[in-house]
Amino acid sequence: AATAGTAVLALVASLAVWLWQQQYVLSLRARRAGRRATKSKSVEVTSAAYLPPRELWTRRELACFDGSDGDDGPILLAADGRVFNVAPARRLYGPGGEYHLLVAGGDATRYLARNSVEPESEESARRPLNVAERAALGAWLFSFSQKYDEVGRVARPEEEVVLGRREAYLDNLEALSSDMERERLTAAWIRDEKRE
C-alpha cells in the first residue's frame, strides 16, 4: 500500500513538473515571436464579450459577469486567484451550461481541483487541497491559460477593503461641488493611507 502511494505521488509530481515545463516553453515561444502576454487569445477586442485586463477583481465584481446578462457579454471564472474570461465557451459556462455552477460569482478552485461539479461539505471545504488535487488544478489552469484570456486576479480580503474605501472615496469626491470639500477629503484619504 505504501509503495502504491509513493508511485501515485511520483506520478502526480511528474505531471506537475511536465505542465510547468510546457507552460515555460510556450511563454518563451510567445516572447520570441514578439507577442505581448496581454494579447487576446480568444475574444476579439471589438466583441461585446471582451474585457480589458486589470490587476484586481473583487468577488462582487466577478458575480456581475456570470453570463446571465445576455448572449454576448463576458463570463468570468476565478481559479486559484486567477481570473479568466471564458465567454468563448458560453455553452459550457453560461446559464444552463454544464459548468455554470463554477462561474456563478464564486471561485471555481475547489471544483476544478476535485474534478467535480458537486458541492462539497463544509468540513471538506475547510481542509487544504492534497497533492493530487493541486496537480489537477494545475492541469486546469494550464488548459485555461491556453484557451482563454486571463484578465486579472481575485483581490484578497484586505485588498477588497482598500478597494471599497477607494471606491467610496471616489464616489464622494465626484459628488462634491466645492473645491474646499475636495481638498478636505483628499487630505483625509492621504492620512488614512499613511496609517495603513
Side-chain angles (χ1 to χ4, degrees), residues 1-12:
T3 306
T6 304
V8 169
L9 183 59
L11 179 65
V12 169

PDB file of all heavy atoms in Angstrom, residues 1-12:
ATOM      1  N   ALA A   1       0.823  -1.196   0.000  1.00  0.00           N
ATOM      2  CA  ALA A   1       0.000   0.000   0.000  1.00  0.00           C
ATOM      3  C   ALA A   1       0.865   1.256   0.000  1.00  0.00           C
ATOM      4  O   ALA A   1       0.565   2.216  -0.670  1.00  0.00           O
ATOM      5  CB  ALA A   1      -0.935  -0.006   1.201  1.00  0.00           C
ATOM      6  N   ALA A   2       1.970   1.204   0.780  1.00  0.00           N
ATOM      7  CA  ALA A   2       2.864   2.363   0.834  1.00  0.00           C
ATOM      8  C   ALA A   2       3.569   2.563  -0.501  1.00  0.00           C
ATOM      9  O   ALA A   2       3.800   3.686  -0.933  1.00  0.00           O
ATOM     10  CB  ALA A   2       3.880   2.187   1.953  1.00  0.00           C
ATOM     11  N   THR A   3       3.910   1.454  -1.168  1.00  0.00           N
ATOM     12  CA  THR A   3       4.577   1.532  -2.464  1.00  0.00           C
ATOM     13  C   THR A   3       3.649   2.125  -3.514  1.00  0.00           C
ATOM     14  O   THR A   3       4.062   2.947  -4.336  1.00  0.00           O
ATOM     15  CB  THR A   3       5.054   0.138  -2.909  1.00  0.00           C
ATOM     16  OG1 THR A   3       5.857  -0.420  -1.869  1.00  0.00           O
ATOM     17  CG2 THR A   3       5.860   0.214  -4.182  1.00  0.00           C
ATOM     18  N   ALA A   4       2.366   1.747  -3.475  1.00  0.00           N
ATOM     19  CA  ALA A   4       1.392   2.288  -4.423  1.00  0.00           C
ATOM     20  C   ALA A   4       1.195   3.780  -4.197  1.00  0.00           C
ATOM     21  O   ALA A   4       1.111   4.562  -5.150  1.00  0.00           O
ATOM     22  CB  ALA A   4       0.067   1.553  -4.300  1.00  0.00           C
ATOM     23  N   GLY A   5       1.146   4.184  -2.930  1.00  0.00           N
ATOM     24  CA  GLY A   5       1.002   5.612  -2.619  1.00  0.00           C
ATOM     25  C   GLY A   5       2.196   6.416  -3.093  1.00  0.00           C
ATOM     26  O   GLY A   5       2.062   7.514  -3.622  1.00  0.00           O
ATOM     27  N   THR A   6       3.384   5.854  -2.932  1.00  0.00           N
ATOM     28  CA  THR A   6       4.599   6.518  -3.391  1.00  0.00           C
ATOM     29  C   THR A   6       4.609   6.626  -4.914  1.00  0.00           C
ATOM     30  O   THR A   6       5.009   7.654  -5.469  1.00  0.00           O
ATOM     31  CB  THR A   6       5.846   5.734  -2.909  1.00  0.00           C
ATOM     32  OG1 THR A   6       5.786   5.597  -1.490  1.00  0.00           O
ATOM     33  CG2 THR A   6       7.118   6.443  -3.302  1.00  0.00           C
ATOM     34  N   ALA A   7       4.142   5.580  -5.584  1.00  0.00           N
ATOM     35  CA  ALA A   7       4.102   5.597  -7.051  1.00  0.00           C
ATOM     36  C   ALA A   7       3.129   6.658  -7.554  1.00  0.00           C
ATOM     37  O   ALA A   7       3.429   7.380  -8.511  1.00  0.00           O
ATOM     38  CB  ALA A   7       3.708   4.220  -7.580  1.00  0.00           C
ATOM     39  N   VAL A   8       1.966   6.774  -6.898  1.00  0.00           N
ATOM     40  CA  VAL A   8       0.982   7.783  -7.292  1.00  0.00           C
ATOM     41  C   VAL A   8       1.548   9.173  -7.057  1.00  0.00           C
ATOM     42  O   VAL A   8       1.417  10.068  -7.902  1.00  0.00           O
ATOM     43  CB  VAL A   8      -0.345   7.582  -6.521  1.00  0.00           C
ATOM     44  CG1 VAL A   8      -1.266   8.767  -6.706  1.00  0.00           C
ATOM     45  CG2 VAL A   8      -1.027   6.302  -6.956  1.00  0.00           C
ATOM     46  N   LEU A   9       2.198   9.360  -5.921  1.00  0.00           N
ATOM     47  CA  LEU A   9       2.785  10.658  -5.618  1.00  0.00           C
ATOM     48  C   LEU A   9       3.853  11.025  -6.647  1.00  0.00           C
ATOM     49  O   LEU A   9       3.913  12.157  -7.121  1.00  0.00           O
ATOM     50  CB  LEU A   9       3.394  10.642  -4.209  1.00  0.00           C
ATOM     51  CG  LEU A   9       3.993  11.950  -3.717  1.00  0.00           C
ATOM     52  CD1 LEU A   9       2.934  13.049  -3.699  1.00  0.00           C
ATOM     53  CD2 LEU A   9       4.572  11.765  -2.340  1.00  0.00           C
ATOM     54  N   ALA A  10       4.687  10.067  -7.027  1.00  0.00           N
ATOM     55  CA  ALA A  10       5.718  10.316  -8.040  1.00  0.00           C
ATOM     56  C   ALA A  10       5.094  10.665  -9.382  1.00  0.00           C
ATOM     57  O   ALA A  10       5.569  11.559 -10.089  1.00  0.00           O
ATOM     58  CB  ALA A  10       6.626   9.095  -8.178  1.00  0.00           C
ATOM     59  N   LEU A  11       4.017   9.986  -9.744  1.00  0.00           N
ATOM     60  CA  LEU A  11       3.323  10.256 -10.997  1.00  0.00           C
ATOM     61  C   LEU A  11       2.733  11.661 -11.002  1.00  0.00           C
ATOM     62  O   LEU A  11       2.883  12.410 -11.973  1.00  0.00           O
ATOM     63  CB  LEU A  11       2.224   9.215 -11.230  1.00  0.00           C
ATOM     64  CG  LEU A  11       1.401   9.386 -12.493  1.00  0.00           C
ATOM     65  CD1 LEU A  11       2.277   9.190 -13.726  1.00  0.00           C
ATOM     66  CD2 LEU A  11       0.243   8.408 -12.497  1.00  0.00           C
ATOM     67  N   VAL A  12       2.072  12.036  -9.909  1.00  0.00           N
ATOM     68  CA  VAL A  12       1.460  13.364  -9.810  1.00  0.00           C
ATOM     69  C   VAL A  12       2.538  14.446  -9.851  1.00  0.00           C
ATOM     70  O   VAL A  12       2.387  15.457 -10.538  1.00  0.00           O
ATOM     71  CB  VAL A  12       0.597  13.464  -8.529  1.00  0.00           C
ATOM     72  CG1 VAL A  12       0.179  14.888  -8.258  1.00  0.00           C
ATOM     73  CG2 VAL A  12      -0.626  12.563  -8.645  1.00  0.00           C
TER      74      VAL A  12
END
